[in-house]
Amino acid sequence: DAGITQSPRHKVTETGTPVTLRCHQTENHRYMYWYRQDPGHGLRLIHYSYGVKDTDKGEVSDGYSVSRSKTEDFLLTLESATSSQTSVYFCAISRGSGGNLETQYFGPGTRLLVL
Amino acid sequence: SQQGEEDPQALSIQEGENATMNCSYKTSINNLQWYRQNSGRGLVHLILIRSNEREKHSGRLRVTLDTSKKSSSLLITASRAADTASYFCATDASRNSGGSNYKLTFGKGTLLTVNP
């Protein structure tokens, strides 16, 4: 398994509270991604990073922010959690090379419940 | 919106049978990848096929790519109960080779159930 950990693995929080999820890698890969997975929607990209301090929005970025101050850590913050953000969140990493994106390696996921 | 769409949404077969899943996409791509997800776990990469390839094999997996039809298929031969999982196709349509736009777009997946 690729060296990717996510913390916490499970979290229950209340509407309106801020939540930060952490993704940590030991592979020194340049690219890191945050996805959410919901029934009927598959996997959707929230934000991604292509280097330290370099991030960009994905398909469903509203209500989320990210930060990457060092290569190994990519943080996802829900500024004010809403029930619609109840989901399973996955982090992924990739080397990326040449003109093609190489495969992505996924973390174990974080189950977030917003009450 | 999703770039890739898998078909069927669910497939149930008996052990030993072959399973075929299809993926259609909308725009031109650099490569197409297939991933597997066991219940409650993260996705695991299975196979990557580049846009200039038509067929690729890996063990019991066979992937085809038809760029003129914008479609791909994943064939799992001699299926086993352990193959029970969701299977996703993902497309890389990145246009910026300088490195700031590397991302995959995933479909909604096919749930494969292999009955013993």
Side-chain angles (χ1 to χ4, degrees):
Chain A
D1 289 347
I4 311 170
T5 56
Q6 293 184 229
S7 59
R9 294 292 313 280
H10 303 269
K11 186 168 182 68
V12 180
T13 191
E14 294 186 349
T15 298
T17 60
V19 176
T20 295
L21 308 182
R22 179 181 184 236
C23 177
H24 179 78
Q25 61 151 326
T26 58
E27 306 297 319
N28 201 36
H29 283 6
R30 178 181 176 187
Y31 298 88
M32 299 186 76
Y33 306 82
W34 276 109
Y35 295 91
R36 61 177 289 174
Q37 186 175 33
D38 306 286
H41 291 278
L43 218 62
R44 292 181 292 176
L45 181 64
I46 304 172
H47 281 280
Y48 66 105
S49 170
Y50 48 96
V52 173
K53 292 185 169 40
D54 292 323
T55 64
D56 204 351
K57 296 179 180 179
E59 180 187 357
V60 289
S61 59
D62 287 349
Y64 302 95
S65 62
V66 290
S67 66
R68 191 170 178 200
S69 59
K70 44 187 178 177
T71 300
E72 57 265 36
D73 289 326
F74 193 33
L75 304 181
L76 176 70
T77 297
L78 289 64
E79 304 290 349
S80 177
T82 67
S83 58
S84 65
Q85 293 176 311
T86 291
S87 187
V88 181
Y89 291 86
F90 288 100
C91 174
I93 64 175
S94 174
R95 290 177 302 174
S97 66
N100 289 328
L101 175 65
E102 295 295 330
T103 62
Q104 291 189 6
Y105 301 93
F106 282 79
T110 294
R111 292 185 176 274
L112 176 66
L113 174 61
V114 183
L115 300 174
Chain B
S1 61
Q2 248 79 9
Q3 159 79 312
E5 293 288 341
E6 292 90 345
D7 171 63
Q9 291 185 0
L11 179 61
S12 181
I13 60 174
Q14 296 299 122
E15 237 178 357
E17 294 179 341
N18 295 341
T20 299
M21 288 157 272
N22 302 296
C23 171
S24 60
Y25 57 91
K26 298 174 184 176
T27 65
S28 59
I29 59 172
N30 299 315
N31 65 62
L32 185 144
Q33 304 177 32
W34 286 91
Y35 288 78
R36 181 176 108 168
Q37 183 181 33
N38 289 90
S39 181
R41 308 288 293 272
L43 278 71
V44 175
H45 176 259
L46 293 176
I47 195 166
L48 178 153
I49 186 165
R50 302 197 186 280
S51 60
N52 60 354
E53 297 175 313
R54 292 297 167 258
E55 186 171 315
K56 203 161 184 179
H57 296 255
S58 178
R60 293 185 295 113
L61 306 180
R62 173 178 170 256
V63 170
T64 62
L65 179 64
D66 187 335
T67 53
S68 66
K69 295 181 179 178
K70 293 186 170 57
S71 67
S72 173
S73 67
L74 171 67
L75 169 67
I76 303 174
T77 60
S79 63
R80 306 165 182 168
D83 294 328
T84 294
S86 291
Y87 292 82
F88 296 85
C89 68
T91 52
D92 167 21
S94 308
R95 287 292 173 261
N96 183 348
S97 62
S100 65
N101 193 31
Y102 278 2
K103 52 187 177 180
L104 294 176
T105 303
F106 286 82
K108 296 180 182 179
T110 291
L111 175 59
L112 173 66
T113 302
V114 182
N115 301 300

